[in-house]
């Protein structure tokens, strides 16, 4: 056991946090038209294409900068002032107050929260400022779904619309100015229809999308999870009893969002869960999720059978008051389903699921989460916490995929979705786990039907069990597929899965793998504009604009480091080859020369002459080419 930390080393924390903008990129903000929202993007500057037309200086053709979705928050904006000890500015505070349906609380009202605050021994673990706490006025419901269903477009919805519409707006702009061919620019099922604030509202109203945004987490930049929006990625962080402190976890948060995490879950199970979560929430521009059951179990010293509804309820209030945006609630693990797992190869692999199964068996009673579900909804709507209904019976091996236990639970999750929706509480549904490729699609089809299109949020799935150490790869393969079929958010898996607590580097590896999977799914779904990014990379590659290729890469640092490993010199950045094929075997270079040759020798164009003539002309050109010394590799 690590010894209990007694203070937070803020110097160490400030030193750890990575705050540089991405290479060649700047943060830009686009204003919404309705409620003064200011939505951040990353703009990647590109260099000119050099067109060589005969001797002399090449002609320069500019490449317009590319704007991409950016969830990294103020950390990548050099102009933003950040004080980690006080937390980020409350972007949404004014929006929340303007609605007039919340009241300010005198302080934490949960018994446990008050206990922590009253304990002087914990003062050195606290942040320099404590936030203003809010809750719905008696009888009010402050969930985005509630507003949406009453026809209200909130600033949160408008923010999401601007964010999600960026690709389409940019594509349209480019089509006008650049007259791009329609083929291959990301036209597809979703076409070029704008994502309007009204569209976001309607998706939230019908439960097909969620905007997790607790009124006590005003620091968050609103984002949507739903299958008509870009596919999102969640990263899990959090300490455990054996390793890591608050400094490391806050650093992991900032690091995770730098590499593209759209939401982060704090799965801490070790010491000081309450304080760790406070540091994470106050410094997070992305929604934060938790599994409240983990902390509840800590409170009863790991004895599942000692859990109770009042204790769990107090934990929910504690976390809702701190600002957690979504809760994993394993309410689908019903007493009757536990025996269905008896013949499984790997039983129950969900932590939350196994805790609930143990409680149900120990008391031989129906789950208190299932029985008190309406009361949980009352808490959720008082702060706008979104459900992430846990898949406590998900398969933990290829052998157990798509079995009776898994689908029995899924149907209960569907039933609970309707209960939550009666309260106008937002819901997403968690999914597997371990599933072989050929069974992946069935998971999405069944989920959409059983849960009335509530957003699906899956853990991978791993498509094989043989990959310890590389589970980020085998699960990203499953994730790309399940995302393509309609999963709205992908929970990352790191290389440490099944082996240990991920460190900083594992977090990055997991995220990169999942950003690739999510983007691949966006492409496959035909999200208009998604392919602009691919085209920009490919054009830079074909034109040997190395710097552009690096900065457009999903991980610019690694792309550049790998290139420079063999060709570190500055002049290699303009060379028309890399060390993989060398100067003589670069297919891109050869095909550029073929094009150039054809352009300068229009007579050899096959359709310009009769076939015999073409052959003669080609023969002549071949002789001429060889006579000039076959000098194409200059
Ligand atoms: C996502 C989909 N299915 C499970 N997850 C995530 O797994 C869930 O959101 C949480 O972050 C993590 C741990 O869940 P269990 O093991 O307690 O079910
Ligand atoms: Fe697993």
């Amino acid at each position: 056991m690590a010894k209990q930390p007694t203070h937070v080393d803020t110097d160490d924390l400030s030193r750890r946090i990575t705050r540089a903008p991405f290479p060649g990129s700047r943060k830009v903000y686009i204003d919404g038209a309705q409620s003064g929202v200011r939505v951040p993007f990353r703009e990647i500057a590109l260099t000119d294409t050099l067109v060589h037309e005969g001797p002399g200086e090449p002609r320069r053709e500019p490449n317009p900068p590319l704007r991409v979705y950016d969830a990294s928050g103020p950390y990548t904006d050099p102009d933003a002032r950040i004080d980690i000890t006080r937390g980020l500015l409350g972007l949404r505070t004014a929006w929340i107050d303007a609605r007039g349906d919340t009241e300010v609380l005198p302080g934490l009202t949960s018994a446990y929260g008050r206990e922590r605050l009253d304990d002087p021994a914990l003062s050195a673990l606290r942040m320099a400022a404590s936030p203003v706490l809010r809750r719905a006025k008696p009888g009010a419901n402050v969930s985005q779904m509630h507003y949406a269903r009453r026809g209200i477009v909130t600033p949160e919805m408008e923010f999401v619309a601007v964010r999600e519409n960026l690709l389409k707006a940019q594509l349209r702009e480019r089509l006008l100015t650049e007259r791009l061919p329609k083929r291959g620019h990301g036209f597809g099922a979703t076409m070029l229809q704008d994502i309007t604030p009204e569209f976001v509202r309607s998706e939230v109203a019908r439960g097909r999308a969620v905007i997790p945004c607790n009124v006590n987490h005003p620091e968050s930049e609103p984002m949507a999870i739903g299958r008509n929006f870009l596919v999102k990625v969640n990263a899990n962080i959090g300490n455990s009893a054996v390793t890591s402190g608050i400094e490391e976890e806050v650093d992991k948060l900032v690091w995770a969002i730098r590499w593209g995490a759209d939401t982060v879950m704090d799965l801490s199970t070790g010491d000081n869960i309450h304080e760790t979560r406070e540091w994470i929430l106050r410094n997070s521009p992305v929604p934060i999720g938790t599994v409240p059951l983990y902390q509840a179990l800590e409170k009863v010293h790991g004895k599942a059978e000692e859990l109770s509804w009042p204790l769990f309820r107090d934990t929910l209030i504690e976390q809702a008051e701190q600002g957690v945006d979504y809760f994993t609630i394993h309410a689908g693990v019903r007493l009757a389903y536990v025996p269905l797992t008896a013949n499984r190869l790997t039983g129950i692999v969900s932590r939350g699921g196994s805790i609930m199964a143990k409680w149900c068996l120990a008391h031989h009673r129906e789950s208190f989460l299932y029985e008190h579900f309406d009361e949980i909804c009352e808490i959720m709507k008082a702060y706008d916490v979104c459900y992430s209904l846990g898949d406590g019976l998900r398969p933990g091996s290829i052998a157990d995929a798509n079995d009776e236990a898994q689908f029995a639970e899924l149907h209960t999750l569907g039933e609970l979705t309707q209960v939550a929706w009666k309260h106008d509480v937002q819901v997403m549904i968690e999914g597997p786990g371990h599933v072989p490729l050929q069974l992946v699609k069935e998971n999405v089809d069944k989920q959409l039907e059983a849960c009335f299109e509530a957003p699906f949020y899956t853990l991978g799935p791993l498509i094989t069990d043989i990959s310890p150490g590389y589970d980020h790869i085998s699960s990203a393969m499953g994730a790309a597929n399940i995302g393509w079929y309609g999963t709205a958010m992908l929970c990352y898996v790191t290389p440490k899965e099944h082996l240990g607590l991920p460190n900083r580097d594992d977090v990055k590896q997991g995220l990169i793998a999942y950003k690739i999977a999510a983007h691949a799914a966006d492409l496959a779904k035909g999200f208009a504009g998604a392919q602009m990014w691919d085209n920009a990379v490919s054009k830079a590659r074909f034109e040997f604009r190395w710097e552009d290729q690096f900065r457009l890469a999903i991980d610019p640092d690694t792309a550049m480091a790998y290139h420079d490993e063999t060709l570190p010199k500055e002049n290699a950045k303009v060379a028309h080859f890399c060390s993989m094929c060398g100067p003589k075997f670069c297919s891109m270079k050869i095909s550029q020369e073929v094009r150039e040759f054809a352009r300068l020798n229009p007579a050899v164009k096959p359709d310009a002459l009769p076939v015999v003539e073409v052959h003669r002309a080609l023969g002549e050109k071949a002789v001429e080419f060889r006579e000039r010394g076959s000098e194409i590799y200059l």
Side-chain angles (χ1 to χ4, degrees):
M1 285 280 272
K3 74 172 169 35
Q4 176 109 354
T6 51
H7 74 292
V8 176
D9 185 342
T10 47
D11 289 340
D12 175 53
L13 187 53
S14 310
R15 230 175 299 117
R16 286 170 185 263
I17 304 280
T18 310
R19 266 213 63 183
F22 281 97
S25 304
R26 64 186 188 114
K27 197 101 172 170
V28 294
Y29 295 87
I30 296 180
D31 295 333
Q34 293 169 18
S35 34
V37 301
R38 204 167 151 260
V39 184
F41 294 104
R42 174 181 158 204
E43 186 175 272
I44 308 169
L46 300 175
T47 61
D48 295 342
T49 296
L50 302 181
V51 187
H52 297 268
E53 287 165 332
E57 277 293 295
R59 187 163 54 81
R60 288 176 170 273
E61 264 175 19
N63 288 293
L66 184 78
R67 289 180 175 181
V68 296
Y69 190 104
D70 180 7
S72 61
Y75 296 101
T76 46
D77 182 348
D79 297 332
R81 284 214 323 273
I82 296 177
D83 178 352
I84 307 264
T85 66
R86 297 180 161 267
L88 303 176
L89 295 175
L91 171 75
R92 297 169 46 236
T93 307
W95 309 346
I96 294 162
D97 285 344
R99 290 195 273 262
D101 50 4
T102 51
E103 58 188 15
V104 172
L105 297 171
L108 294 170
T109 70
S110 65
Y112 186 83
R114 278 201 312 270
E115 231 174 75
R116 298 299 286 190
L117 276 187
D118 292 345
D119 188 344
L122 294 171
S123 66
L125 288 175
R126 276 187 219 123
M127 298 185 65
S130 39
V132 174
L133 301 182
R134 292 174 177 78
R135 182 175 61 195
K137 285 181 177 163
N141 179 344
V142 297
S143 88
Q144 292 289 317
M145 186 179 222
H146 189 62
Y147 304 130
R149 288 183 163 181
R150 286 185 300 162
I152 298 169
V153 174
T154 61
E156 283 86 347
M157 295 170 201
E158 191 193 0
F159 192 101
V160 162
V162 176
R163 239 181 168 177
E164 295 277 345
N165 200 48
L166 170 82
L167 293 178
K168 298 187 188 212
Q170 202 175 187
L171 178 59
R172 186 179 302 106
E173 208 173 284
R174 288 186 176 211
L175 286 168
L176 287 177
T177 57
E178 297 169 44
R179 267 176 259 125
L180 297 172
K182 274 209 168 182
R183 199 185 129 267
H185 283 271
F187 283 89
T190 8
M191 293 306 288
L192 257 183
Q193 255 155 32
D194 272 318
I195 296 179
T196 61
E198 168 54 27
F199 178 72
V200 176
R201 187 204 61 75
S202 69
E203 290 292 288
V204 172
R206 63 172 289 174
R208 200 154 56 186
V210 295
I211 303 176
C213 54
N214 187 320
V215 294
N216 288 321
H217 187 203
E219 299 90 348
S220 72
E221 297 172 346
M223 54 79 71
I225 302 164
R227 81 183 199 286
N228 289 322
F229 302 108
L230 291 166
V231 175
K232 303 303 188 299
V233 166
N234 168 70
N236 288 340
I237 60 169
N239 68 352
S240 74
V242 282
T243 169
S244 142
I246 289 176
E247 299 88 348
E248 282 158 77
E249 293 313 316
V250 176
D251 170 41
K252 271 190 218 166
L253 163 80
V254 177
W255 189 238
I257 59 171
R258 179 175 183 81
W259 295 111
D262 294 288
T263 73
V264 167
M265 290 193 77
D266 173 15
L267 300 186
S268 291
T269 55
D271 298 325
N272 309 317
I273 296 182
H274 181 96
E275 291 71 24
T276 305
R277 189 169 49 234
E278 187 66 19
W279 281 85
I280 288 176
L281 274 162
R282 300 286 76 82
N283 286 296
S284 176
V286 303
I288 296 294
T290 60
V291 186
L293 195 58
Y294 297 174
Q295 191 187 2
L297 188 72
E298 291 288 343
K299 292 179 185 174
V300 293
H301 312 290
K303 297 196 187 102
E305 55 284 8
E306 287 181 16
L307 286 167
S308 66
W309 165 242
L311 179 117
F312 186 75
R313 185 176 184 278
D314 192 66
T315 308
L316 290 181
I317 293 171
E318 174 197 343
Q319 297 199 11
E321 286 182 348
Q322 278 190 294
V324 175
D325 300 285
Y326 63 95
F327 285 158
T328 295
I329 304 280
H330 297 85
V333 182
R334 300 190 58 180
L335 176 63
Y337 301 158
V338 180
L340 299 179
T341 62
N343 293 322
R344 279 182 160 185
L345 181 61
T346 48
I348 298 176
V349 296
S350 151
R351 282 201 278 188
S354 62
I355 296 164
M356 286 315 298
K358 196 167 171 200
W359 188 91
C360 290
L361 291 183
H363 296 271
H364 228 82
R365 272 189 59 183
E366 185 57 273
S367 152
F368 62 82
L369 299 176
Y370 182 82
E371 292 200 320
H372 292 273
F373 197 76
D374 275 303
E375 285 160 86
I376 301 178
C377 292
E378 294 295 341
I379 298 169
M380 305 299 259
K381 67 192 188 198
Y383 306 89
D384 196 9
V385 185
C386 171
Y387 275 113
S388 185
L389 291 177
D391 56 338
L393 300 182
R394 68 171 170 271
S397 54
I398 291 297
D400 295 341
N402 296 20
D403 71 351
E404 208 190 341
Q406 186 195 332
F407 288 137
E409 179 186 47
L410 183 66
H411 279 98
T412 299
L413 298 185
E415 176 201 322
L416 295 173
T417 298
Q418 289 200 304
V419 177
W421 284 353
K422 255 191 232 133
H423 291 267
D424 291 353
V425 169
Q426 309 192 80
V427 181
M428 52 184 175
I429 307 291
E430 295 190 2
H434 292 238
V435 181
L437 263 182
Q438 77 280 11
L439 298 185
V440 167
K441 187 165 184 296
E442 188 188 3
N443 277 275
V444 183
D445 294 344
K446 287 222 158 97
Q447 185 273 341
L448 289 176
E449 211 209 307
C451 302
F452 316 96
E453 301 186 278
F456 203 20
Y457 162 39
T458 61
L459 182 58
L462 279 83
I463 55 170
T464 173
D465 301 341
I466 65 166
S467 50
Y470 300 87
D471 283 342
H472 61 312
I473 296 177
S474 67
S475 66
M477 293 177 186
N481 278 270
I482 211 160
W484 174 21
Y485 297 135
T487 293
M489 183 155 81
L490 309 169
C491 183
Y492 86 168
V493 167
T494 76
K496 289 281 164 64
E497 182 73 12
H498 303 115
L499 304 171
L501 192 74
N503 62 26
R504 204 174 192 266
D505 190 50
D506 302 319
V507 166
K508 177 174 172 183
Q509 294 302 320
L511 272 161
I512 296 295
Y514 273 69
K515 290 306 277 186
I516 297 170
H519 181 70
D522 290 334
L523 282 176
K525 285 166 72 176
F527 195 96
Q531 198 188 313
M532 269 186 308
W533 194 342
D534 300 72
N535 293 358
V537 176
S538 290
K539 188 165 187 276
R541 182 175 292 149
F542 192 69
E543 295 171 1
F544 298 97
R545 288 183 281 119
W546 289 104
E547 292 291 352
D548 289 357
Q549 200 186 158
F550 303 150
R551 56 178 70 161
L552 285 164
I554 192 98
D555 174 2
D557 304 349
T558 302
M560 177 133 86
Y562 281 11
H563 175 270
D564 290 2
E565 210 174 291
T566 44
L567 290 171
K569 297 214 181 73
E570 255 327 292
N571 62 8
K573 301 286 188 343
V574 292
H576 280 205
F577 59 88
C578 71
S579 71
M580 180 168 158
C581 307
K584 296 207 174 177
F585 287 89
C586 177
S587 62
M588 296 239 176
K589 177 173 161 60
I590 295 170
S591 89
Q592 278 197 7
E593 286 160 353
V594 170
R595 273 196 193 172
E596 184 62 6
F597 192 71
R599 194 179 66 79
L600 296 174
N601 299 279
V604 301
K605 267 197 193 149
D607 52 359
L609 291 169
V611 177
V612 190
E613 283 292 290
V614 171
H615 278 278
R616 196 185 52 76
L618 286 172
E620 277 173 13
K621 288 294 167 193
V623 172
E624 187 189 317
F625 184 66
R626 284 195 300 267
E627 278 171 356
R628 289 206 313 227
S630 300
E631 270 307 328
I632 59 173
Y633 307 120
L634 290 169

